[in-house]
Amino acid sequence: MPGPTRPGPESGRAVFCLRFGFLLGLLVGSGAQATKAADVEGLRVWADPQKTRAVFDLDGAVEYRVFTLPAPDRVVIDVAAAALGTPELALPADTPHGVLDAVRHGRRDDGSLRLVFDLNAPARVKSFLLPPAAEYGHRLVIDLEPPAGSGQNPVVLTASAARGADHRDVLIAVDAGHGGEDPGAIGPSRTREKDVTLAVARELKRQIDAEPGMRAVLIRDGDYYVALRERHEIARRARADLFVSIHADGFRDARARGSSVYVLSNNGASSEAAKMLADRENMSDLVGGVSFEGRDETIVKVLLDMSQNATMQASRVVADNVLEALAANGRTHKPKVESAGFVVLKSPDVPSILVETAFITNPEEEIMLNDPVAQKQLAGAVLSGIGAYFRQRPPPGTWLAANRPPARHIVGRGDTLSGIAARYQVPVDRLREANRLDGDMIQLGAVLTIPSG
């Protein structure tokens, strides 16, 4: 293929990447050291609702520059002292291409490799280099986003539709772990965690949507990467009542097996295995190519201090219900809910749990995770635990709260009206009203109606 036409430097829309040359020192150890020739070994592309991401796999560190051209819309990437290390460079056929229509390449007179993306729409360009991480080597990442003010960035999640005029559905945000650039754990037969989690998450959404008064939304519904902090931020923006992150466990010992349920721990992991797992999951931002720059730490701390204690208590109750349901479905790895510092669980006001469905590194469980029947059973067990929690504690204003059958409590020795009210999380005056009590005196053996909502 002949090389593309070389654009002039006066292009009105040229946007030069400020990273040109400045990351070299970080990647090769010295800013003064000359870059050796590198090969572009392949191209991977993902498109999600917010952007199109193209990743060039490299066999070493490079210097590069990026700019755009109009009429027609193109992105030009010049990679210094580089060569094409693959017989063909084309858009992959098995993933959505987003705004990309084609990729071309050619050799420039100065010895650099020119790569050109032909676009079907204008795009803002963000780019960065990544050092080797996990199974990946050096990478050049190009993110293409709709222009500012274009209104083309869609809302990923929206609040659920109301079941009735005054009652909304309980909304569950279902997060399929990993995705795109980050495959997660890999099974003995090369099953990728990101594929299993998406299949189980989709099945869980299907089952939740079939439940009266409940609705689910997927954090990701395709093979693309969503930053860890963005996952729970998406759930918060959607006003989710619960965040459930689906994963498949991995361990160096192939005999490890069983399901696990995790909640956030502010004081570290509850076991060394839990700590290792948390560290592995939190590394996804590095593997996925997302900056670690986040919110102001002081603001985050204030938010967590204000609301996270109650959120963590609710998370623990949900997790207990889900673990009990998973134990009834099959084997669990530990007899109790564990805690670890997972980034995706750090929403200050949305109860959040992480479910490790099984060990993908166990050959038998890897086969099970690929079985659609087993995926339905796993999703059903998770839903059973979620449903048990929300039927007992439906959020005010929801269809479940309005249609919750009244609970009954038989007064036992040592019971007090205030203690019963606290146990069922209802005001004492509402408990009195529901049972036509004039004071706080209750009789042993009396059957009290517990008001809903």
Side-chain angles (χ1 to χ4, degrees):
M1 175 187 295
T5 303
R6 185 182 309 164
E10 283 76 32
S11 170
R13 292 183 56 208
V15 179
F16 289 90
C17 178
L18 296 179
R19 298 175 183 267
F20 180 72
F22 292 109
L23 293 179
L24 179 60
L26 294 176
L27 297 176
V28 301
S30 172
Q33 181 177 349
T35 306
K36 67 177 182 179
D39 285 345
V40 176
E41 298 181 323
L43 170 64
R44 290 169 288 129
V45 176
W46 292 275
D48 65 37
Q50 302 292 337
K51 66 181 180 301
T52 301
R53 167 165 290 184
V55 180
F56 291 101
D57 290 305
L58 313 169
D59 70 350
V62 297
E63 291 181 347
Y64 75 100
R65 67 170 181 166
V66 176
F67 55 93
T68 60
L69 291 172
D73 294 302
R74 288 156 288 164
V75 176
V76 181
I77 308 109
D78 287 336
V79 186
L84 202 62
T86 178
E88 181 181 359
L89 193 67
L91 297 180
D94 57 346
T95 57
H97 301 154
V99 298
L100 297 182
D101 274 347
V103 59
R104 297 176 284 130
H105 60 85
R107 172 69 57 188
R108 302 183 71 212
D109 293 342
D110 61 4
S112 63
L113 176 65
R114 171 158 289 181
L115 306 165
V116 177
F117 285 141
D118 295 320
L119 310 183
N120 54 48
R124 291 184 299 164
V125 181
K126 296 181 180 179
S127 65
F128 49 92
L129 292 165
L130 288 174
E135 65 182 58
Y136 298 105
H138 293 273
R139 286 152 290 161
L140 169 58
V141 181
I142 309 294
D143 281 344
L144 305 173
E145 302 176 353
S150 67
Q152 296 179 28
N153 262 353
V155 177
V156 178
L157 299 182
T158 57
S160 64
R163 177 69 60 174
D166 301 317
H167 304 119
R168 66 174 180 86
D169 289 339
V170 168
L171 183 64
I172 313 298
V174 182
D175 170 44
H178 307 280
E181 181 78 354
D182 174 21
I186 306 294
S189 298
R190 308 307 296 169
T191 300
R192 302 178 299 186
E193 182 181 0
K194 68 174 183 178
D195 299 326
V196 168
T197 61
L198 183 58
V200 175
R202 284 172 170 167
E203 176 59 26
L204 178 56
K205 172 179 164 50
R206 186 192 68 79
Q207 294 189 27
I208 290 174
D209 288 346
E211 287 288 308
M214 298 182 70
R215 186 75 59 192
V217 288
L218 293 173
I219 298 298
R220 72 172 177 96
D221 192 13
D223 186 14
Y224 50 84
Y225 184 79
V226 180
L228 296 178
R229 296 187 186 279
E230 178 65 12
R231 294 176 191 241
H232 65 70
E233 284 297 316
I234 290 172
R236 293 186 67 245
R237 291 197 296 269
R239 300 184 182 275
D241 297 290
L242 178 67
F243 176 90
V244 181
S245 191
I246 303 296
H247 289 257
D249 220 335
F251 198 64
R252 57 178 174 268
D253 187 344
R255 295 172 296 179
R257 61 187 304 169
S259 304
S260 304
V261 183
Y262 287 82
V263 294
L264 178 66
S265 169
N266 278 340
N267 299 318
S270 57
S271 69
E272 182 61 24
K275 182 177 185 302
M276 291 174 58
L277 182 59
D279 290 343
R280 176 175 66 84
E281 300 292 358
N282 293 345
M283 282 293 290
S284 295
D285 269 335
L286 176 60
V287 175
V290 179
S291 171
F292 281 102
E293 295 179 2
R295 293 174 178 264
D296 180 89
E297 291 300 322
T298 302
I299 296 176
V300 172
K301 186 177 186 303
V302 170
L303 288 172
L304 292 176
D305 288 345
M306 289 177 58
S307 62
Q308 201 160 52
N309 285 340
T311 300
M312 290 175 65
Q313 290 175 5
S315 301
R316 172 69 66 167
V317 178
V318 178
D320 285 337
N321 279 276
V322 171
L323 184 65
E324 182 179 352
L326 286 168
N329 178 68
R331 181 169 179 169
T332 56
H333 184 58
K334 293 288 181 66
K336 63 179 182 178
V337 171
E338 297 197 74
S339 55
F342 292 112
V343 170
V344 292
L345 300 181
K346 291 187 176 181
S347 175
D349 52 2
V350 180
S352 304
I353 66 172
L354 186 146
V355 178
E356 296 282 3
T357 52
F359 277 84
I360 199 170
T361 46
N362 180 302
E364 293 181 1
E365 294 201 336
E366 180 188 19
I367 294 173
M368 181 267 290
L369 287 169
N370 280 302
D371 181 2
V373 174
Q375 292 172 357
K376 289 182 179 180
Q377 292 172 342
L378 284 168
V382 175
L383 173 57
S384 177
I386 294 172
Y389 171 81
F390 281 113
R391 281 189 293 272
Q392 182 63 34
R393 299 170 178 82
T398 61
W399 185 91
L400 289 180
N403 291 272
R404 175 188 176 187
R408 300 286 189 269
H409 178 86
I410 300 176
V411 178
R413 293 188 182 278
D415 275 349
T416 64
L417 197 66
S418 60
I420 295 170
R423 176 177 176 181
Y424 290 97
Q425 298 181 347
V426 296
V428 174
D429 58 349
R430 288 197 61 200
L431 190 57
R432 287 196 201 99
E433 181 183 353
N435 293 277
R436 299 180 180 179
L437 298 175
D438 293 331
D440 291 347
M441 295 296 295
I442 51 177
Q443 294 182 351
L444 183 66
V447 179
L448 298 182
T449 298
I450 308 300
S452 63

